[in-house]
Amino acid sequence: MTDAPVRLEEPLKDRVVENRRRLHRHPELSFQERETARWISARLEDLGIEHREGVGGNGVVGRIVGGRPGPTVAFRADFDALPIQEETDAPYVSTSPGVMHACGHDGHTAMLLGLAEVLQNDLDQVHGEVILIFQHAEEQIPGGAASMVEDGCLRGVDAVFGVHLNTVLRTGQIGVCEGPAMAAADRFGVKISGSGGHGGFPHQTVDALVIAARAVLDLQLIVSRYVDPLQPAVVSVGKLEAGSGFNVIAGRASLQGTVRTLSEEVRDLIEEKIDQTLRGLCEGTGASYELDYQRGYPPLVNHAAASETVREAVRGLDRYELVEREPIMGGEDFAYYLREVPGCFFFVGAGNEEKGTTYP
């Protein structure tokens, strides 16, 4: 993209920090980021960068044309926040009750704006074109990536790169995982209907609570007994509700959970086995069930050549350490970009014990 690594001068570094803190003070939830999108557009306008608003929803896409021939490379940053109440005393604390940039997206966006300024101010050294993808709604299914791809944000792009700040890695470390790097993230909900009654007469009931408890345990057998042990997979039930009193047998119960997989084949298998497990339990006890299985983001698979490009870039920088990472079972809708063009999603260390930046 350029002939040599670029170091941030102090004024630019200060602007990156201030942009991040401004974003942190004014977070917006997924699919509600209209003010944030307008603010990003204004920053690109200030830099004289051609851009398009309303891409796939609230997305913003900028375009920088270099002075030398070369490929078209895209960089993505997300900018939505989470429904979390901030409990810090930072001078840039969130001003939106119950909403916080707790996942680093404010940092991602500030970093990409900093990159945009560096490149825009040195166009003669830029080879090819750079597409700046500012994406809304990463945190909430169906996400913003798929709609932005559908709206043409990758048209003509040869490679795409994205980053995520990570406090498991120390500041100065860059983590790369080639191949499957992050999981498909699905969710499921189950409603079990039995026949409630008095706790002293269980033989006259169909206890939905007991069936739900059995379901929680039996669902664990899917990974341990049906999935190849060399294939990573997770089935976790995070919520179970049933009952109205200590002496009342529940006629209804509900549970919710998540499924994480690194391959589509295992993903299909687990969805099928969840339905089979519930059917067997309910048919054997006289209950009935409703299963709502929602597919989230697909597995994120980094391409080999793009991953090596990141490695080479890190090796060429002083004070940075390359870390080869194992796959993780978190989900990311950057996976949709990687289904369209080659690319790599990697991690930038932000952990620092002395500064207390070690929270997940």
Side-chain angles (χ1 to χ4, degrees):
M1 188 172 62
T2 62
D3 290 327
V6 178
R7 293 188 183 278
L8 289 187
E9 298 177 356
E10 286 302 318
L12 175 57
K13 179 180 177 180
D14 292 342
R15 282 193 293 278
V16 172
V17 171
E18 179 51 38
N19 283 339
R20 181 257 164 180
R21 292 182 175 182
R22 189 275 173 200
L23 288 161
H24 194 89
R25 283 192 295 267
H26 303 285
E28 292 181 297
L29 295 174
S30 302
F31 300 105
Q32 300 176 28
E33 323 91 328
R34 287 173 286 277
E35 290 302 322
T36 305
R38 278 193 281 268
W39 181 85
I40 292 169
S41 296
R43 301 289 73 73
L44 295 177
E45 186 74 30
D46 292 342
L47 292 170
I49 294 175
E50 170 192 342
H51 61 281
R52 184 161 62 106
E53 302 176 40
V55 181
N58 293 326
V60 180
V61 176
R63 177 172 175 260
I64 295 174
V65 181
R68 303 187 184 189
T72 298
V73 179
F75 295 89
R76 175 270 213 164
D78 38 15
F79 58 81
D80 55 327
L82 286 164
I84 293 175
Q85 177 64 42
E86 182 163 8
E87 297 180 353
T88 75
D89 57 359
Y92 46 86
V93 66
S94 169
T95 59
S96 301
V99 184
M100 177 188 179
H101 272 295
C103 199
H105 295 188
D106 49 348
H108 303 164
T109 298
M111 291 156 65
L112 188 56
L113 286 171
L115 174 64
E117 183 171 345
V118 167
L119 298 179
Q120 183 70 1
N121 289 339
D122 201 8
L123 291 176
D124 290 343
Q125 298 302 313
V126 177
H127 297 251
E129 297 186 13
V130 176
I131 304 301
L132 310 165
I133 301 174
F134 294 92
Q135 184 203 308
H136 63 298
E138 186 277 328
E139 296 287 2
Q140 184 173 318
I141 297 172
S147 60
M148 290 191 71
V149 169
E150 187 177 347
D151 203 3
C153 73
L154 291 179
R155 193 173 296 120
V157 169
D158 298 302
V160 61
F161 296 89
V163 301
H164 205 299
L165 292 167
N166 185 279
T167 54
V168 174
L169 295 174
R170 297 190 311 275
T171 300
Q173 292 182 319
I174 306 293
V176 178
C177 179
E178 183 176 321
M182 298 186 72
D186 301 339
R187 64 182 296 176
F188 63 89
V190 181
K191 294 180 180 178
I192 295 172
S193 298
S195 177
H198 194 287
F201 304 91
H203 59 292
Q204 298 175 355
T205 71
V206 177
D207 193 335
L209 189 155
V210 169
I211 297 167
R214 279 283 307 274
V216 172
L217 296 177
D218 287 358
L219 289 175
Q220 305 310 306
L221 297 176
I222 294 173
V223 172
S224 66
R225 288 297 174 267
Y226 295 109
V227 176
D228 183 338
L230 299 180
Q231 293 287 338
V234 173
V235 176
S236 292
V237 177
K239 185 176 183 180
L240 171 60
E241 292 183 331
S244 59
F246 79 98
N247 63 341
V248 179
I249 289 177
R252 285 178 168 70
S254 65
L255 53 91
Q256 296 178 13
T258 185
V259 174
R260 305 297 173 108
T261 53
L262 291 179
S263 81
E264 292 292 353
E265 292 76 16
V266 175
R267 192 183 197 185
D268 293 339
L269 172 67
I270 291 179
E271 182 178 358
E272 176 186 351
K273 290 299 181 182
I274 287 177
D275 190 57
Q276 288 181 1
T277 298
L278 294 168
R279 187 183 314 126
L281 277 173
C282 290
E283 287 180 352
T285 56
S288 61
Y289 73 97
E290 297 177 20
L291 170 63
D292 178 22
Y293 193 100
Q294 298 180 20
R295 293 212 166 195
Y297 307 148
L300 186 152
V301 182
N302 283 327
H303 296 250
S307 299
E308 185 58 28
T309 296
V310 175
R311 294 190 187 100
E312 291 176 0
V314 177
R315 293 186 190 111
L317 297 172
D318 297 333
R319 300 183 293 111
Y320 286 87
E321 175 190 355
L322 177 65
V323 178
E324 295 292 341
R325 296 203 61 179
E326 297 294 323
I328 62 174
M329 303 308 279
E332 239 289 348
D333 72 348
F334 192 85
Y336 290 114
Y337 301 115
L338 295 175
R339 284 186 160 190
E340 300 295 321
V341 299
C344 180
F345 187 77
F346 58 99
F347 292 89
V348 176
N352 187 316
E353 290 280 355
E354 293 181 0
K355 293 183 177 181
T357 59
T358 56
Y359 296 99

